[in-house]
Amino acid sequence: MNLILYLLTLLLSSTVAGFVGSLTGLGGATVLVPIYTLFLGIPLPYATGASLISTIATSSGSASAYIKDKITNVRIGMSLEIATTLGAIVGSLIANIIYKMHLEDILFIIFGIVILSSVYVQLTKAKDELPKNVKPDWTTKLFKLYGSYYDQALKTEVEYHAIRWWLGEIIMFVAGLISGLLGIGPGALKVIGMDWAMNLPLKVSTTTSNFMIGVTAATSSSLYWVFGYIEPVLAGVTAIGVLIGALAGTKVLVRIRNSRIRFIFIALLIILGVEMIIRGVFHGL
């Protein structure tokens, strides 16, 4: 009975994480790792491994629906994915060394500070339903970073273009690095990179992030498997729950306004940033 209750708890937690991850583009791991490590007592390396598998499930469950709705910009996502994948490889290799040296608390503090520092940028755009009209730059024209989608909440066709592709690439590498190091999913920095650095509509940023995070997580999880940090039963139950939540999230996102998604995103950034710092400070005590 205790085992069944434990598995149901894992399933419920992962379902909620998948829903939130699909809606905000953060990936289910953002919610999963804190729950697994703080409340369920799962060791960090194994929680990280399961969360990476769940991120693949989030991406698989939501990305196909968003592509069908023509919100995801596949061209932009693929152009940024190379940098994220390289970062994930580097981060996973470093993580194996850090786990052996028991220095992961430093990473939590650094990442928490980075996340909290991005909240101000999001607050300045909180009332903007769509990004400000900015002239295309040379990267826009070179890589053809244009797109459009029908917004059901606004009941209008939204046309947009991306700028500063080079800055997006830098942020994507850092996002991949963080994903490999902490296993929480690179969605937070990916959304910030596309929303702030590249001036994309938030729905495009979150859906394109969902499309990208699966590739990044697949890269990191393969290395975590080699290192022995993926427990099959834990990862399997987690993936099922996250997939259910991710599919539910796709039904909600297309019907709500960008500004509401942003407020949810900001709230999660604050929770994530504070929680990471607390874990870093008290982890070694």
Side-chain angles (χ1 to χ4, degrees):
M1 182 61 67
N2 288 336
L3 177 59
I4 294 176
L5 181 61
Y6 186 74
L7 291 177
L8 288 176
T9 302
L10 291 178
L11 186 63
L12 178 61
S13 301
S14 56
T15 300
V16 173
F19 179 82
V20 174
S22 174
L23 194 65
T24 60
L26 295 178
T30 301
V31 180
L32 272 179
V33 173
I35 293 177
Y36 278 7
T37 56
L38 293 179
F39 300 107
L40 299 182
I42 297 174
L44 179 61
Y46 296 99
T48 301
S51 70
L52 287 170
I53 299 298
S54 80
T55 300
I56 300 175
T58 302
S59 180
S60 302
S62 58
S64 58
Y66 292 142
I67 291 175
K68 183 179 179 181
D69 292 332
K70 298 181 179 180
I71 304 177
T72 300
N73 193 306
V74 177
R75 179 187 292 273
I76 292 177
M78 293 304 296
S79 71
L80 298 173
E81 191 56 55
I82 296 176
T84 312
T85 303
L86 290 175
I89 294 173
V90 174
S92 298
L93 294 174
I94 296 175
N96 187 46
I97 299 174
I98 289 176
Y99 286 146
K100 292 179 178 179
M101 298 177 66
H102 305 289
L103 296 175
E104 55 265 37
D105 51 319
I106 298 176
L107 295 177
F108 288 130
I109 296 174
I110 294 175
F111 185 67
I113 293 173
V114 171
I115 289 297
L116 289 178
S117 66
S118 68
V119 171
Y120 173 76
V121 176
Q122 293 298 314
L123 287 174
T124 60
K125 302 179 67 175
K127 296 182 179 180
D128 296 336
E129 186 61 34
L130 294 172
K132 296 179 181 179
N133 188 20
V134 179
K135 292 183 178 180
D137 61 10
W138 65 272
T139 61
T140 308
K141 300 174 182 178
L142 179 63
F143 298 108
K144 299 180 180 180
L145 306 178
Y146 300 92
S148 65
Y149 70 97
Y150 181 77
D151 195 309
Q152 293 186 23
L154 300 178
K155 301 184 184 305
T156 185
E157 187 76 15
V158 177
E159 296 184 354
Y160 62 88
H161 61 267
I163 60 173
R164 294 183 296 201
W165 177 84
W166 57 271
L167 182 56
E169 285 285 343
I170 294 174
I171 295 177
M172 295 304 151
F173 178 83
V174 176
L177 186 70
I178 293 297
S179 174
L181 285 172
L182 301 180
I184 63 169
L189 290 179
K190 283 187 175 182
V191 173
I192 292 171
M194 287 182 278
D195 175 55
W196 168 71
M198 301 180 69
N199 200 47
L200 289 173
L202 189 59
K203 283 186 179 179
V204 176
S205 298
T206 56
T207 56
T208 304
S209 171
N210 270 303
F211 168 72
M212 295 171 62
I213 58 179
V215 179
T216 308
T219 303
S220 299
S221 61
S222 62
L223 292 174
Y224 271 69
W225 177 269
V226 172
F227 298 146
Y229 295 143
I230 294 181
E231 205 285 318
V233 175
L234 174 62
V237 173
T238 300
I240 292 173
V242 166
L243 183 58
I244 295 172
L247 291 174
T250 62
K251 306 298 182 182
V252 175
L253 180 134
V254 295
R255 292 180 172 84
I256 63 177
R257 300 176 72 90
N258 284 297
S259 55
R260 293 184 180 179
I261 298 175
R262 189 180 301 280
F263 279 118
I264 296 173
F265 183 63
I266 290 173
L268 287 174
L269 286 181
I270 294 174
I271 294 172
L272 177 62
V274 172
E275 191 272 337
M276 287 289 114
I277 292 176
I278 291 175
R279 286 173 63 191
V281 171
F282 292 100
H283 184 268
L285 298 181

